[in-house]
Amino acid sequence: MIKINMNNYNILIESNVFASLRDFLDEINKRVFIVTDTNVDNLYGKELANILDGFEIIKYVIPSGETSKNFKTYEAIMHHFLSKGIKRFDTLIAFGGGVVGDLAGFVAATLFRGIDYIQIPTTLLSQVDSSIGGKTGIDTPYGKNLIGAFYEPKVVLIDPNFLKSLDDIEYANGLSEMIKAGLIMDKDLFDQLEKSQTVNDELIAQAIEVKRKVVLLDPFDYKERMLLNFGHTFGHAIEFKHQYETYKHGQAIAYGMLMSIKIGERLNLTNTNIYDRVYNLFLKLKLIELPLLNPKDYLDYLKFDKKHLSNGLNFVLIDEIGSAFTKTLELKDLI
Ligand SMILES: NC(=O)c1ccc[n+]([C@@H]2O[C@H](COP(=O)([O-])OP(=O)(O)OC[C@H]3O[C@@H](n4cnc5c(N)ncnc54)[C@H](O)[C@@H]3O)[C@@H](O)[C@H]2O)c1
């Protein structure tokens, strides 16, 4: 088992992580509230119920996918749990990918002004990224993740065995964030992912370590945490322009990372031996395809950027693999 300490909670990475789950539950009260989605429930719901033998289980299963991360589902979960008599000292389990984690985490943050919750992330992206760092929230018609709270779980339980049922696209989606972690802060992680794209407990831990370092420095996202946005300025614009349908998040940020590397090269800030390595890796993982997207087509969609661009845009660049920094750029620097 690998144990990572986040100051106020631990992240445990192990096969058969369900075995550890009961250590974090109230064996006297013997009641647990679960939020999961349809896919995860079909795949692993029975297994979880078996582990919780003897517990009263109150479960809310959301339809899988980003469209569930909204007010309506949030309200439905709240009402369901309240109707079942949830109390302030009950524990909630978020069992699924980032959508379940963000949504259930926000329910936990706001129900009775905060109840305990446990993250059991089941996608690669949620294991290396969304379950770490305490950001919870829901989407609105005005944009993604606009309503939320910083709220830390009691524990994060990661089992790489869940990844066996992920399809290639979802797997690559998580790898994209891992590659980003390597590019901004851990050359060895990038080198390893370049050699082999199959992850194991150690690689997951290595990617989490990048997020851990940044989050502990800047838990509320004012400064250092911005580095995690490498590739995300254009990535978000790509997702927004295509209404979150054409490109998965991992694909959009892969294009975004390449655009950032090119911008850095043009400004003589990024070593010119990086682009081809990253490009080839993304192509192999089908995170990008040819012809590449053109940054010019996304300038109008840079988030809230009309305003930002009048006095410059805070942009994340890398100089070398494993070393990122922020720089204020102007519109003319981007194309
Ligand atoms: N809180 C944060 O810091 C943070 C960071 C990054 C992303 N996010 C959020 O995370 C969300 C994306 O997360 P995601 O990529 O995990 O998406 P997701 O939760 O929608 O999961 C992707 C798909 O995989 C399925 N799935 C989950 N586990 C599976 C398994 N083990 N086997 C087979 N299928 C499985 C899901 O049902 C879904 O269809 C977005 O809403 C994003 O905003 C949050």
Side-chain angles (χ1 to χ4, degrees):
M1 187 218 280
I2 301 177
K3 187 172 175 178
I4 300 170
N5 182 267
M6 292 293 293
N7 279 357
N8 300 321
Y9 63 99
N10 287 320
I11 301 161
L12 308 185
I13 307 173
E14 62 179 329
S15 288
N16 192 20
V17 83
F18 275 163
S20 297
L21 176 60
R22 287 184 81 132
D23 298 346
F24 300 95
L25 296 177
D26 178 355
E27 288 284 348
I28 298 167
N29 189 8
K30 282 204 179 290
R31 188 162 77 145
V32 69
F33 292 77
I34 299 172
V35 178
T36 187
D37 77 13
T38 40
N39 291 336
V40 177
D41 192 46
N42 285 337
L43 286 162
Y44 302 108
K46 276 208 183 77
E47 215 180 304
L48 179 58
N50 287 341
I51 287 294
L52 294 172
D53 187 33
F55 273 73
E56 183 192 355
I57 297 176
I58 298 114
K59 181 163 72 173
Y60 194 96
V61 184
I62 64 169
S64 67
E66 188 70 33
T67 47
S68 284
K69 216 177 105 178
N70 60 21
F71 250 127
K72 223 170 132 197
T73 322
Y74 166 78
E75 188 183 24
I77 296 170
M78 287 287 200
H79 286 175
H80 181 67
F81 287 169
L82 286 167
S83 76
K84 299 290 180 190
I86 191 167
K87 297 280 183 300
R88 208 176 138 206
F89 298 105
D90 278 310
T91 298
L92 191 156
I93 298 175
F95 183 43
V99 166
V100 166
D102 280 12
L103 177 64
F106 188 51
V107 168
T110 45
L111 194 59
F112 308 120
R113 300 187 183 84
I115 64 169
D116 278 351
Y117 78 114
I118 295 170
Q119 288 268 19
I120 308 182
T122 59
T123 60
L124 184 55
L125 182 131
S126 58
Q127 294 189 349
V128 298
D129 190 357
S130 64
S131 68
I132 320 294
K135 278 190 183 176
T136 71
I138 53 176
D139 301 335
T140 76
Y142 301 94
K144 279 186 61 171
N145 301 319
L146 294 187
I147 296 173
F150 288 96
Y151 192 63
E152 293 180 331
K154 193 174 176 183
V155 67
V156 182
L157 300 176
I158 295 178
D159 187 340
N161 285 318
F162 290 130
L163 306 179
K164 289 179 185 155
S165 51
L166 278 188
D167 64 31
D168 289 351
I169 296 177
E170 290 302 341
Y171 201 80
N173 203 32
L175 279 172
S176 186
E177 289 286 2
M178 292 179 78
I179 293 166
K180 178 207 75 182
L183 287 171
I184 62 170
M185 217 172 265
D186 185 344
K187 182 174 181 316
D188 178 66
L189 175 61
F190 179 84
D191 289 345
Q192 289 198 60
L193 289 170
E194 193 179 31
K195 274 194 211 108
S196 162
Q197 293 82 47
T198 309
V199 306
N200 54 29
D201 299 26
E202 286 74 25
L203 272 186
I204 290 175
Q206 212 170 324
I208 290 175
E209 183 55 25
V210 170
K211 187 148 184 189
R212 189 186 89 95
K213 273 191 203 139
V214 178
V215 165
L216 291 188
L217 278 172
D218 178 22
F220 298 112
D221 202 0
Y222 292 118
K223 211 171 159 224
E224 288 86 352
R225 205 164 167 160
M226 257 206 71
L227 296 179
L228 298 170
N229 282 340
F230 179 59
H232 284 57
T233 304
F234 274 105
H236 285 148
I238 293 166
E239 286 183 290
F240 184 76
K241 180 172 177 180
H242 300 281
Q243 288 300 294
Y244 301 94
E245 275 167 11
T246 318
Y247 300 100
K248 299 281 308 177
H249 179 69
Q251 294 171 312
I253 65 160
Y255 285 109
M257 285 186 256
L258 286 177
M259 289 172 189
S260 303
I261 293 170
K262 267 283 168 246
I263 290 166
E265 277 186 7
R266 268 203 313 274
L267 300 172
N268 287 326
L269 295 168
T270 300
N271 194 322
T272 50
N273 64 12
I274 301 172
Y275 186 89
D276 285 352
R277 288 178 68 185
V278 179
Y279 168 90
N280 287 327
L281 184 53
F282 286 161
L283 208 53
K284 187 168 172 188
L285 288 166
K286 299 196 170 63
L287 282 165
I288 55 167
E289 54 186 39
L290 300 176
L292 289 181
L293 302 181
N294 187 337
K296 278 186 191 148
D297 297 334
Y298 297 93
L299 292 181
D300 287 347
Y301 300 88
L302 291 177
K303 220 174 171 195
F304 310 133
D305 290 327
K306 293 252 157 46
K307 206 162 17 117
H308 277 199
L309 281 172
S310 58
N311 40 4
L313 175 72
N314 229 351
F315 205 85
V316 186
L317 295 166
I318 55 172
D319 47 358
E320 295 288 349
I321 291 177
S323 166
F325 61 99
T326 56
K327 188 167 171 60
T328 306
L329 297 183
E330 293 173 29
L331 183 60
K332 67 174 172 42
D333 299 324
L334 304 180
I335 44 176

